[in-house]
Each structure stands twice: as C-alpha cells, then as structure tokens.
Amino acid sequence: MLQTAIEMEKAALILKLLGDKTRLTMMKLLDHHACCVCEFVEIFKTSQPSISQHLRKLRDIGLVKEERKGQWIFYSVNKHHEYYPFIERILNQLPDQDEKLKELEIKGTRITCC
Amino acid sequence: MLQTAIEMEKAALILKLLGDKTRLTMMKLLDHHACCVCEFVEIFKTSQPSISQHLRKLRDIGLVKEERKGQWIFYSVNKHHEYYPFIERILNQLPDQDEKLKELEIKGTRITCC
DNA sequence: TTAGTATATAATGATTTGCTTATATGTGCA
DNA sequence: TGCACATATAAGCAAATCATTATATACTAA
C-alpha cells in the first residue's frame, strides 16, 4: 500500500482523538472486532449518549465506519483510512483488550449478530 | 532495553499531550536536537509563556528534560522515559521538521551554546 | 550593583471537552 | 398499529485547555 506523507496537523488531530482512554480502548477493540454501541455502554459503564458521542468523533474524521445490522449498528476500524498505517502502529503497541469482550460473552451480553 | 508493558491510561495521557500541533512538533524537533525556549518562541510565533507552559506539561510527565547552560535552558527528549520506545515509534512516522531550525540558523537566531 | 536577556509562574478569560438528561429516529415483532 | 429496544442528536453544565498579560526569578555583563 502506498503510504501517504503524514502531515503534522492531521497527525496531531488523530493523536488528540486517541488521547482519551475510552476512545483509545475502543479503537484497540475495533481494530480486531466489530462492536455495537450497547456493548461499549456495558464495557465502559457509561451512558449510551456518551458512547455515541465518542464514536461520532472517531467517525467524523473517518477512523471508524458503521454498518447497520438489523437493530444494531456495528462499528469497526476503517482500515482504508489514509492514516491507518500510522494508527495501526500505535494500536499494535497497546495491550490486548479482548478480555473485555470475553466478559460480555460470559455474561451472555455479547452481540454476535448474523 | 527492557520494554515495559504499556498501560492504556498512561498511553492515553501521552497521546493527549502529543495531540497538540505545537507540542508534537516540539517533540519531533527535541528528539534529535536540544532547543531552548526562545527558539521555540520564534519557530511557533507565539508568546514565551505559551511555550513555557507547553514545555512544562511535557516535563511534568517526564517526556522532556531541561539543562541550564548559562542564560539559556535547553530542553531535550528524555530517552530514558519508560514509554520512550512507544513515543519514538510515533515520532519516527512524522515528517522531519529540521527546516524550522535551519531557518533560524540562516537568520542567525539559532542558539548553539558552548 | 544595575540593566538586559531568558525563563517560569500567576491570574484571567474564551473556547473546547466530556459528561448528563431529555428527546427524536429507526428497527423488529406481537 | 403499537410497544420495546438500539441508537443519534440536542441542550445544558462543570471541568479542562490554551492563549494572553503581568510579574517574579535567574543569569550575564558592564
């Protein structure tokens, strides 16, 4: 893949968005799993609008994409984003967060649509 | 070097600090050059207190260190920081900012103490 | 000692951020 | 159709952020 030249301005904007514990953990999870809003609500123990707003910020600059599946809207990382390689190298350094999803599976609240 | 496990909380804090164009550019420059406050004032065309406050934030979490040389205080990246490898991999992806220092050299305002 | 330069800190204010509550929209199903 | 669930959006508010101006501190050189 052709790597675009990183611009400082855009890099700073992305780092700012990643510089929030909730969004950073979201991105780490979404990098390998599609998740829906209600799962994040449970994982982060915060309100649904708060989660929606974080996702909106990530979506506004194209870092994540959404796909409706029936009742749910599944979010996932947009791997075609111009800066995805930049982001990926950051996410790869972070500890795996999959246990958060495993907890949902144990509780039976993981949404595995279709 | 022994790589410490990255904690999400600390990673988010660091990314938040890097998520500002001024601080990000500072870190990129400081990664390879020691610079003093007055140089940054000229480079970023902002007030001296503004620069000092950015540097203070970086210093407060140990990302940069300072060394007084006579009249000036030179800042540089603290390469012994627990998370320096994490930071370095981010900075390495950013475009070189050295032309900003070259401009100072041409204008004769680069401080090359000692 | 005094003036000039470099830097830090304090105080203030405008803007941004991230939450909350309330409400609207969209989907599935009885 | 009507209700339940999932999600988005709007509005309001407290806290954080980032600049500014004013002032204090530290060093150099005359």
Side-chain angles (χ1 to χ4, degrees), chain A residues 37-89:
Chain A
V37 176
C38 60
E39 292 173 317
F40 283 140
V41 169
E42 194 174 340
I43 288 171
F44 296 110
K45 291 171 181 55
T46 183
S47 69
Q48 173 266 313
S50 172
I51 296 296
S52 279
Q53 284 157 18
H54 280 303
L55 286 167
R56 186 177 216 289
K57 287 184 185 181
L58 294 174
R59 200 192 49 196
D60 278 353
I61 63 163
L63 297 194
V64 302
K65 57 191 165 121
E66 54 178 88
E67 184 184 357
R68 180 176 278 277
K69 285 193 180 168
Q71 211 170 358
W72 298 283
I73 295 175
F74 282 78
Y75 283 86
S76 55
V77 165
N78 172 19
K79 307 218 170 185
H80 297 102
H81 191 284
E82 195 184 358
Y83 284 62
Y84 177 68
F86 174 66
I87 294 159
E88 189 186 22
R89 288 189 193 107

